Amino acid sequence: MMTTILAIYGSPRRKGNTALLLKKAVEGAREGGARVEEIVLRDLRMSPCLEIYGCKETGRCVIKDDFQPLYDKLLACQGVILASPIFFYTVSSLTKIMMDRCQSLWVKRYWIEKTPFGKKDYSKKGLFISAGATKGKRLFDGVLLTVRYFFDALDAELWKTLLYRGLDFEGDVLKNPDYLQEARAAGADLARSIS
């Protein structure tokens, strides 16, 4: 069976820097032999988590919206590539809404399936791609903690990160073709590592 990778576009801009980087990673993953399904979060209608804990019975969120099919895809895939620009030292609001809705997957993993905390033999791998406008030393500190725990809820190891500073305006990444090559290579490596 072919390896499936879910590529999640978390940028509000369709041609933003993280979207272009993710596009290259997707090309690489396909070249590496994976089937890649692309999800553009800005195209989905998703409520934020309402913390009603309807998920504690089955591990499935009870809010009926576009998160429901995404939930199934997150469970079924073998790898995830998540791309989000930095907004106030974390992911975009579109990405954070999706992450918060994955509280249901955390409930499934830790409350229902009783996975021991600290278990590190994950069944999936995740690649995180991000770009931020500033060149601050701690630009990615907060987001990496958030992403690591998000991937953990998906039973995915944070396998690799591609983090780029000084990219603000749409198309800035095109001035750095080595970043795009690195993203393509990372996508190919991810596909090969989970096949």
Side-chain angles (χ1 to χ4, degrees):
M1 191 168 109
M2 188 177 272
T3 299
T4 301
I5 292 174
L6 204 57
I8 303 171
Y9 291 80
S11 177
R13 297 192 294 202
R14 291 190 189 280
K15 296 181 182 175
N17 296 304
T18 53
L20 293 172
L21 288 159
L22 180 52
K23 185 176 180 192
K24 288 297 177 189
V26 166
E27 288 173 10
R30 287 183 175 138
E31 288 163 7
R35 180 183 158 279
V36 182
E37 183 168 357
E38 299 173 72
I39 304 291
V40 180
L41 293 179
R42 69 173 272 175
D43 291 343
L44 304 183
R45 297 181 64 85
M46 275 193 300
S47 164
C49 176
L50 302 177
E51 210 175 5
I52 53 179
Y53 281 105
C55 59
K56 69 182 178 185
E57 299 302 318
T58 65
R60 186 170 195 101
C61 183
V62 296
I63 301 169
K64 302 294 183 211
D65 61 12
D66 290 344
F67 178 72
Q68 293 298 332
L70 179 55
Y71 175 99
D72 293 329
K73 291 169 185 177
L74 287 165
L75 282 177
C77 70
Q78 288 81 48
V80 177
I81 308 174
L82 174 64
S84 173
I86 297 295
F87 282 41
F88 287 95
Y89 283 71
T90 193
V91 292
S92 69
S93 60
L94 298 165
T95 307
K96 190 62 168 72
I97 285 171
M98 176 201 62
M99 288 179 160
D100 288 353
R101 290 292 294 279
C102 286
Q103 178 70 11
S104 56
L105 285 164
W106 187 93
V107 166
K108 179 181 185 307
R109 182 166 162 76
Y110 290 108
W111 285 3
I112 296 171
E113 295 172 355
K114 307 221 181 296
T115 301
F117 288 106
K119 179 180 173 279
K120 297 296 181 213
D121 55 333
Y122 295 109
S123 68
K124 306 174 195 240
K125 289 186 179 180
L127 166 61
F128 177 58
I129 301 171
S130 189
T134 71
K135 296 188 177 178
K137 189 173 105 176
R138 304 193 68 195
L139 179 60
F140 298 106
D141 288 5
V143 77
L144 287 176
L145 196 57
T146 301
V147 168
R148 185 168 281 111
Y149 282 101
F150 165 68
F151 279 143
D152 179 78
L154 305 181
D155 192 22
E157 157 194 16
L158 178 54
W159 169 79
K160 186 171 190 149
T161 60
L162 300 177
L163 310 172
Y164 302 105
R165 293 172 169 79
L167 301 178
D168 191 6
F169 298 106
E170 197 170 286
D172 277 357
V173 73
L174 298 173
K175 300 169 195 162
N176 300 276
D178 52 320
Y179 294 175
L180 297 167
Q181 289 171 339
E182 187 176 24
R184 188 180 202 130
D189 288 347
L190 176 64
R192 284 190 287 267
S193 77
I194 58 179
S195 60

